[in-house]
Amino acid sequence: MKKLLLGVTTLLCLPAFMNAQVTISGEWLRRNDGNVHLYRVEHGRLEEVATSKPGTDSSFGFYFRPVREGLYVIGTGNIQSPIDKYSFYFKKNDQLNVKITDTSYVLTGKNSPENQAIEKWHNTILPLERKGVYFNMSGSTYVDFFPLLETLHKQAQETKFAASGNKQFDSEFAKFRELDILLCTAELLSTPRSAHPSEKDYTPYFKNIAVPHFTTDTRLLRYPYGMRMMRTLQMLPARMGNGNIKDYSIEARMKGIENDTLKGEVVLQQAASLKTYLGYLDLDKQYGKYLLTSDQAQRAGFIKAELARKATAAGGQAVNFTYPDLNGKQTSLTDFKGKVVLVDVWATWCGPCKGELPYLKQLEEEMHGQDVLFLSVSVDEQKDHQKWKDFVASEKLGGVQLFASGWSDIAKFYNIKGIPRFMVFDKNGNIVSTDAPRPSNKELKLLLESEVKK
């Protein structure tokens, strides 16, 4: 047996070492980031348990006491990605002997019935994993993936797995196989490909996917990449023609999610995208009831604290900028002291910028008569000056329109590297936010209304 090399984070406290209940011995014969990691599954995501640095003979190993019986992952690389990672099942006193090859893995020596079953399954799904998960290597698209998906899905349904003698595992393993196929499919749909399917290209597998089937219980939270797959599940009905694929509202995200704890995960996804403390308070008021676990409450607390920190850090004096308006008159940000100013940095060539215009117009209409000034600054190049003027006229854009002649002072002052960018300044010309929510997000209106009242 090869010497086990344990990194300093692999539970080397002597009593824990002596009482370790799971032994993992392996060889890692493929690329790695310098270490092999052992992860547990927490709320559908990976959390590192230990690290082992492979020896000169590529050997690695772990001794650990599992916090619970269930799935664990061994791998390397980005913790968010399933690339170069393999799932195993551990319970008290288990042994795992494994060789990670350049394309997959094989079990060697003594191993549990559970992990022997997982190895058999992995060999079945491996061709689909290579196309779906390892997209940079395969160059696969839906054209070759969808037929293989149908073949392997049928094969998976027909393949019989003998009872392991562990009822808990046998129940979880059936769900694991379903989710493994869905993971490969989710990766195919959510990673860059040279060709993308339209609604008519989806095969029977997709048409039989029911979001409630995967969300009536918390199985996704016990799967290593459950939360990574949530977004695919949320968007799948729209991909199939039942909904708007560009609707990222929490209401759309929750469609079909049956379990309240999973709804809490949707709330946390939404919270992570917020830009203001006010937005968090509004979200919590409506949907905080779904944050049911201590883990969810803790993560929500981190998000809340960070947004509160940003809110209290605002208040510095704005850096002024001056540009010509539609009539050539030089106009500055400081000209509008006494009003709350919403600045929209945009360009006529920017698709997302133009996508926000209907919402911006609606917001301007809703706040008509209040002390809010809408100031749009185009970063179109000078050669497109007339194009900008024509666009403003044809789209009947309101507010004050300024022309910055490219990425000039405003981009330098406010570190703008991408558009659209929205910024809010208070009545005294102080910064409220230099990365405010977009008009399509009701957070922005809440922020403006709060500043108007001050």
Side-chain angles (χ1 to χ4, degrees):
M1 178 172 159
K2 292 185 179 290
K3 180 182 178 182
L4 297 181
L5 296 175
L6 301 176
V8 291
T9 58
T10 56
L11 307 184
L12 282 184
C13 172
L14 186 59
F17 181 82
M18 297 299 292
N19 294 310
Q21 292 180 330
V22 171
T23 305
I24 300 171
S25 175
E27 293 179 81
W28 190 278
L29 302 175
R30 67 182 310 180
R31 63 186 179 182
N32 63 74
D33 59 12
N35 294 291
V36 177
H37 309 275
L38 173 66
Y39 306 96
R40 66 172 176 265
V41 180
E42 290 290 346
H43 271 74
R45 65 186 190 275
L46 299 183
E47 287 195 358
E48 187 173 296
V49 174
T51 298
S52 177
K53 184 177 180 62
T56 56
D57 58 357
S58 301
S59 64
F60 71 93
F62 299 100
Y63 294 102
F64 79 106
R65 182 190 298 272
V67 294
R68 68 181 71 88
E69 176 179 336
L71 289 171
Y72 290 75
V73 171
I74 296 173
T76 189
N78 184 348
I79 195 172
Q80 306 293 337
S81 170
I83 292 176
D84 295 329
K85 295 180 182 66
Y86 299 99
S87 298
F88 300 97
Y89 191 93
F90 295 128
K91 62 186 186 303
K92 183 178 179 180
N93 295 323
D94 271 350
Q95 291 184 39
L96 177 73
N97 293 281
V98 64
K99 179 186 289 187
I100 311 295
T101 68
D102 58 346
T103 56
S104 183
Y105 76 84
V106 292
L107 296 183
T108 60
K110 183 178 180 180
N111 290 283
S112 68
E114 294 90 342
N115 285 324
Q116 291 174 27
I118 289 178
E119 181 193 35
K120 177 182 177 181
W121 165 245
H122 183 70
N123 289 333
T124 300
I125 198 176
L126 183 58
L128 197 68
E129 180 187 80
R130 287 175 176 167
K131 290 180 179 291
V133 175
Y134 293 84
F135 60 95
N136 283 333
M137 299 178 182
S138 70
S140 180
T141 71
Y142 77 92
V143 177
D144 59 284
F145 182 88
F146 283 3
L148 180 61
L149 170 64
E150 293 299 326
T151 299
L152 287 184
H153 182 235
K154 181 179 179 182
Q155 182 181 342
Q157 291 177 313
E158 295 173 349
T159 301
K160 303 299 181 184
F161 288 86
S164 68
N166 182 340
K167 291 183 179 180
Q168 177 176 326
F169 168 78
D170 291 339
S171 174
E172 289 294 309
F173 186 40
K175 296 175 181 178
F176 174 79
R177 298 196 300 271
E178 277 192 291
L179 291 172
D180 252 7
I181 293 176
L182 185 62
L183 171 68
C184 294
T185 305
E187 292 299 298
L188 184 283
L189 295 176
S190 62
T191 50
R193 308 283 169 159
S194 59
H196 304 279
S198 61
E199 185 180 331
K200 64 180 177 57
D201 296 315
Y202 288 101
T203 55
Y205 171 81
F206 295 93
K207 295 171 184 176
N208 290 322
I209 292 177
V211 176
H213 173 71
F214 292 98
T215 63
T216 52
D217 55 29
T218 57
R219 74 171 80 179
L220 282 169
L221 302 184
R222 301 191 296 275
Y223 184 75
Y225 314 102
M227 289 304 99
R228 184 179 175 94
M229 292 158 57
M230 276 280 282
R231 292 188 186 279
T232 298
L233 274 174
Q234 292 162 351
M235 295 175 65
L236 198 57
R239 286 181 183 272
M240 302 297 294
N242 182 23
N244 179 4
I245 200 167
K246 294 183 178 180
D247 184 357
Y248 301 112
S249 67
I250 190 169
E251 292 80 11
R253 288 181 177 186
M254 279 195 178
K255 188 176 181 181
I257 308 293
E258 298 286 323
N259 181 270
D260 282 353
T261 302
L262 290 185
K263 288 180 180 178
E265 294 298 322
V266 179
V267 174
L268 285 166
Q269 286 178 349
Q270 188 79 354
S273 69
L274 296 175
K275 293 180 179 291
T276 68
Y277 184 65
L278 287 171
Y280 178 87
L281 294 179
D282 181 68
L283 178 70
D284 185 59
K285 181 179 179 181
Q286 296 186 69
Y287 299 103
K289 62 184 178 182
Y290 294 119
L291 301 175
L292 299 175
T293 70
S294 58
D295 181 89
Q296 289 175 332
Q298 183 181 50
R299 284 182 284 152
F302 288 145
I303 294 171
K304 181 180 181 181
E306 178 62 17
L307 290 172
R309 185 192 65 77
K310 289 181 179 179
T312 56
Q317 184 68 39
V319 179
N320 193 35
F321 53 82
T322 303
Y323 295 114
D325 66 11
L326 287 165
N327 299 314
K329 179 184 176 183
Q330 295 294 318
T331 305
S332 303
L333 175 63
T334 53
D335 293 341
F336 304 106
K337 276 195 175 181
K339 289 183 178 292
V340 176
V341 180
L342 171 65
V343 175
D344 170 20
V345 183
W346 70 293
T348 59
W349 48 260
C350 169
C353 300
K354 291 188 282 190
E356 289 295 320
L357 292 179
Y359 300 101
L360 183 63
K361 289 179 181 180
Q362 181 181 344
L363 180 61
E364 189 172 3
E365 183 179 331
E366 290 174 352
M367 303 204 73
H368 180 73
Q370 300 186 53
D371 286 334
V372 180
L373 189 285
F374 289 78
L375 179 62
S376 296
V377 181
S378 167
V379 293
D380 282 287
E381 298 293 338
Q382 182 60 42
K383 64 182 178 63
D384 293 319
H385 184 262
Q386 189 58 48
K387 177 184 176 183
W388 165 70
K389 293 183 74 172
D390 293 342
F391 186 89
V392 170
S394 65
E395 294 296 318
K396 299 179 180 178
L397 302 185
V400 177
Q401 299 288 332
L402 303 183
F403 191 79
S405 296
W407 298 90
S408 51
D409 284 350
I410 191 170
K412 297 173 187 175
F413 295 160
Y414 293 99
N415 194 31
I416 298 173
K417 300 187 185 320
I419 54 176
R421 171 73 77 85
F422 292 88
M423 302 187 289
V424 176
F425 302 91
D426 69 16
K427 296 175 183 178
N428 296 314
N430 295 322
I431 296 169
V432 176
S433 174
T434 57
D435 187 17
R438 297 181 180 186
S440 56
N441 188 326
K442 70 175 181 179
E443 267 192 285
L444 181 56
K445 187 178 181 182
L446 288 171
L447 183 60
L448 293 173
E449 289 175 335
S450 173
E451 288 302 317
V452 167
K453 293 175 181 176
K454 292 181 180 179

